[in-house]
Amino acid sequence: MLKYSKQTRLLLAVDCIIFGFDGEVLKLLLIKRGFQPEKGNWSLMGGFVQGSESIDQAANRILKQLTGLEGVYLEQLYTFGEPNRDPMERTVSVAYFALIDIQKYQTQISSDYHAEWFQLKRTPKLIFDQQEMLEQAKKRIRYKAAMHPILFELLPTKFTIPQLQTLYECVFNTTIDKRNFSKRVLATGLLIKLTDKDKAGSKRGAYYYQLNMQNYYAKFQAFMNFIPNPDTL
Amino acid sequence: MLKYSKQTRLLLAVDCIIFGFDGEVLKLLLIKRGFQPEKGNWSLMGGFVQGSESIDQAANRILKQLTGLEGVYLEQLYTFGEPNRDPMERTVSVAYFALIDIQKYQTQISSDYHAEWFQLKRTPKLIFDQQEMLEQAKKRIRYKAAMHPILFELLPTKFTIPQLQTLYECVFNTTIDKRNFSKRVLATGLLIKLTDKDKAGSKRGAYYYQLNMQNYYAKFQAFMNFIPNPDTL
DNA sequence: GATATAATTGTATAAAAAACAGTTATGGAG
DNA sequence: CTCCATAACTGTTTTTTATACAATTATATC
């Protein structure tokens, strides 16, 4: 077949906004960019979409390159295409965000990229329009987590309710009453109580829970409404 | 500056999913595609992103080309990039959806494209992956309309509460109690009651309302929750 | 054994959503 | 002119859900 003639062809990139949670605060994984322009500056992990791969495949490839992880939560966020967003050459970038269990992350793989986890509240200046990408990602996560149980993707298989609450409090930047939180989260039927406890955080220890995966997939579309004050989203 | 060498460049297109509401049902505006491949088949209105324009600009340009309208509600939906979605040449498409007041739509402008409004429930087969685009657009509209007052974009400046209710019932494919509906919608403070009535639909006539634009913008982020049964989203 | 720390549990109140039916205005038919 | 059919309009009760709030328990450590 003939090609579409006279049309502009351009570069298509993928940028990954990678979130983690260490039990205390939300974190963002950044790399030191290895080539010009902006070489040596903090940047999201990214790369160009190859001729033979889909955009989703490209995003997964790029995420794996940096983290060594496959099968993690990865969602297309938004496509950024201001003509001069990359001063070198017109490049449209499809941003994805990933939620990963920070414990599964293997440091060694990413040493090539000089990757580092930053507290989300203390991120360095990012290149190009990546600050805007990050802002949108934060917004989207809140939006989605208000109704869908995506935040479990940030926790290890076994987690405690206080851990889960801390995570929600981080994401929504608020405080939640402990009694009401556990009541609601248990009422979803998504959690299975285990017999052992996490003794790290307290003397008494908190019971571990794990996801009931059947209910998880069934209820993914309609989970609960956790936002204390939706005005701030 | 030098260019990024050895990277694949590709075509970037925009496709517009254009919704309207005639007071009875939701409708979708389609065109007969004017060039190969798939020439003559029903298609979303689309076009290629030019070298000098942003993707948003391209979407607005393409929407105006077909409808003559500017400044309408247009939101980026999702980017579709399967390698062979267009058999002619690799083309990545950024899908947008538009909500327009069907009364403002000017038929004459679109005659070049052989455009037609289809009932959303009776759309013809679409080309490429556009059926998937449409499904995602419907999903997104429901999702967003459940919390944000975007559906007003589909109505004329003056509208009645029964009209508004019909619209919500269409979008969510459900029925809502009249008393509860008007109670909730009036409680938002977004509506200003006018003195004249719409006599078209009934003998008694229904009062016209218009949006309180100040409240509209202020409350856009947090409107209300109209979904009767969130499970079906 | 005393103490400090964080986990765990329940109830009363307030707010929001859902269920539900009768009255009113008016154009058109007879 | 009266009657009738149609759709608009309005209010209360019940149920459900969310919120506010404090005492007890388990255990490591001193």
Side-chain angles (χ1 to χ4, degrees):
Chain A
M1 266 192 177
L2 293 170
K3 302 232 167 177
Y4 297 108
S5 57
K6 307 261 179 181
Q7 296 296 340
T8 307
R9 276 124 187 112
L10 43 72
L11 286 167
L12 191 69
V14 161
D15 285 306
C16 291
I17 300 139
I18 304 169
F19 293 99
F21 177 65
D22 66 359
E24 297 282 325
V25 293
L26 278 170
K27 296 198 161 181
L28 177 69
L29 186 60
L30 297 174
I31 62 165
K32 273 201 171 159
R33 181 158 157 119
F35 52 92
Q36 292 296 348
E38 299 278 356
K39 182 171 178 176
N41 293 329
W42 291 109
S43 161
L44 300 172
M45 179 70 182
F48 293 105
V49 176
Q50 302 301 306
S52 57
E53 67 184 354
S54 71
I55 311 179
D56 278 358
Q57 282 166 354
N60 278 288
R61 171 176 58 77
I62 286 160
L63 184 65
K64 188 182 174 189
Q65 254 176 29
L66 180 62
T67 64
L69 299 177
E70 285 181 283
V72 303
Y73 188 90
L74 185 63
E75 178 177 332
Q76 187 185 306
L77 177 65
Y78 200 79
T79 298
F80 295 80
E82 288 299 317
N84 297 311
R85 51 177 296 283
D86 184 327
M88 185 88 100
E89 180 181 350
R90 172 133 204 211
T91 306
V92 167
S93 175
V94 185
Y96 280 73
F97 72 92
L99 305 178
I100 76 178
D101 173 2
I102 210 166
Q103 296 180 8
K104 288 194 188 145
Y105 169 75
Q106 302 149 11
T107 308
Q108 65 278 13
I109 294 180
S110 67
S111 58
D112 293 346
Y113 298 98
H114 306 284
E116 265 183 43
W117 285 102
F118 288 86
Q119 290 191 21
L120 202 52
K121 289 183 178 173
R122 295 182 193 169
T123 53
K125 190 167 178 294
L126 297 174
I127 67 169
F128 303 163
D129 51 1
Q130 294 187 356
Q131 192 63 43
E132 193 187 341
M133 293 180 180
L134 176 57
E135 293 307 318
Q136 273 215 230
K138 290 197 272 187
K139 211 168 151 185
R140 173 77 68 89
I141 287 178
R142 277 198 218 156
Y143 200 91
K144 191 137 190 179
M147 291 197 293
H148 307 282
I150 56 168
L151 297 186
F152 292 102
E153 304 286 344
L154 289 164
L155 293 172
T157 316
K158 289 164 59 176
F159 54 86
T160 69
I161 290 185
Q163 277 168 15
L164 185 64
Q165 179 168 353
T166 304
L167 174 55
Y168 271 91
E169 290 179 338
C170 276
V171 171
F172 292 105
N173 195 30
T174 184
T175 57
I176 308 173
D177 180 88
K178 282 185 292 188
R179 292 158 290 190
N180 294 336
F181 183 84
S182 66
K183 214 184 309 171
R184 288 209 277 181
V185 81
L186 291 171
T188 63
L190 255 61
L191 301 192
I192 298 169
K193 189 175 189 172
L194 303 180
T195 50
D196 53 335
K197 286 181 166 185
D198 168 34
K199 294 271 196 173
S202 73
K203 291 163 184 172
R204 178 172 175 178
Y207 279 106
Y208 279 119
Y209 286 80
Q210 67 177 38
L211 273 179
N212 178 330
M213 292 312 283
Q214 284 185 329
N215 291 7
Y216 179 69
Y217 292 119
K219 292 203 175 185
F220 191 85
Q221 287 308 315
F223 178 45
M224 58 181 172
N225 195 329
F226 255 130
I227 345 171
N229 46 346
D231 286 90
T232 61
L233 284 190
Chain B
M1 268 192 177
L2 293 170
K3 301 229 168 182
Y4 298 108
S5 57
K6 308 262 181 180
Q7 296 296 340
T8 308
R9 279 139 186 98
L10 42 72
L11 286 167
L12 191 68
V14 161
D15 285 306
C16 292
I17 300 139
I18 304 169
F19 293 100
F21 178 65
D22 66 0
E24 296 282 327
V25 292
L26 279 171
K27 297 198 160 180
L28 178 68
L29 187 59
L30 298 175
I31 62 165
K32 275 200 171 161
R33 182 160 157 117
F35 52 92
Q36 293 295 351
E38 299 277 356
K39 182 172 179 176
N41 293 328
W42 291 109
S43 161
L44 300 173
M45 179 70 183
F48 292 106
V49 175
Q50 303 300 308
S52 58
E53 67 184 353
S54 71
I55 311 178
D56 278 359
Q57 282 166 354
N60 279 289
R61 171 175 58 77
I62 287 161
L63 184 66
K64 188 182 174 187
Q65 252 176 30
L66 180 62
T67 64
L69 299 176
E70 287 180 286
V72 304
Y73 189 89
L74 185 64
E75 178 177 331
Q76 187 185 308
L77 177 65
Y78 199 80
T79 298
F80 294 79
E82 288 299 316
N84 297 310
R85 50 176 297 283
D86 184 326
M88 184 88 101
E89 179 180 350
R90 172 128 204 215
T91 306
V92 167
S93 176
V94 185
Y96 280 73
F97 73 92
L99 306 178
I100 76 178
D101 173 3
I102 211 166
Q103 296 180 7
K104 288 195 189 146
Y105 169 75
Q106 302 150 9
T107 308
Q108 64 280 15
I109 295 181
S110 68
S111 58
D112 294 345
Y113 299 98
H114 306 285
E116 265 183 43
W117 285 101
F118 288 86
Q119 290 190 23
L120 202 52
K121 289 183 178 173
R122 295 181 193 171
T123 53
K125 192 167 176 295
L126 297 174
I127 66 168
F128 303 164
D129 52 0
Q130 293 188 355
Q131 193 63 44
E132 193 187 340
M133 292 181 181
L134 176 57
E135 293 307 318
Q136 273 214 234
K138 289 198 272 188
K139 211 168 151 186
R140 174 76 68 90
I141 287 178
R142 277 200 218 154
Y143 199 91
K144 190 135 191 180
M147 291 196 296
H148 306 282
I150 56 169
L151 298 187
F152 292 101
E153 304 286 343
L154 290 163
L155 293 172
T157 316
K158 288 164 61 175
F159 54 86
T160 69
I161 289 185
Q163 277 167 15
L164 184 64
Q165 179 167 352
T166 303
L167 175 55
Y168 270 91
E169 289 179 338
C170 276
V171 170
F172 291 105
N173 195 31
T174 185
T175 57
I176 308 174
D177 180 89
K178 281 185 291 186
R179 292 158 289 191
N180 293 336
F181 183 84
S182 66
K183 215 184 309 173
R184 288 210 276 180
V185 81
L186 291 172
T188 63
L190 255 60
L191 301 192
I192 298 169
K193 189 175 189 171
L194 303 180
T195 50
D196 53 335
K197 287 182 166 185
D198 168 34
K199 293 272 193 175
S202 72
K203 291 162 184 171
R204 178 172 175 178
Y207 279 105
Y208 279 120
Y209 287 80
Q210 67 176 38
L211 273 179
N212 178 330
M213 293 312 284
Q214 285 187 327
N215 291 7
Y216 179 69
Y217 292 120
K219 292 203 174 185
F220 191 85
Q221 287 308 312
F223 177 45
M224 58 181 171
N225 194 330
F226 256 129
I227 345 171
N229 46 347
D231 286 89
T232 61
L233 286 190

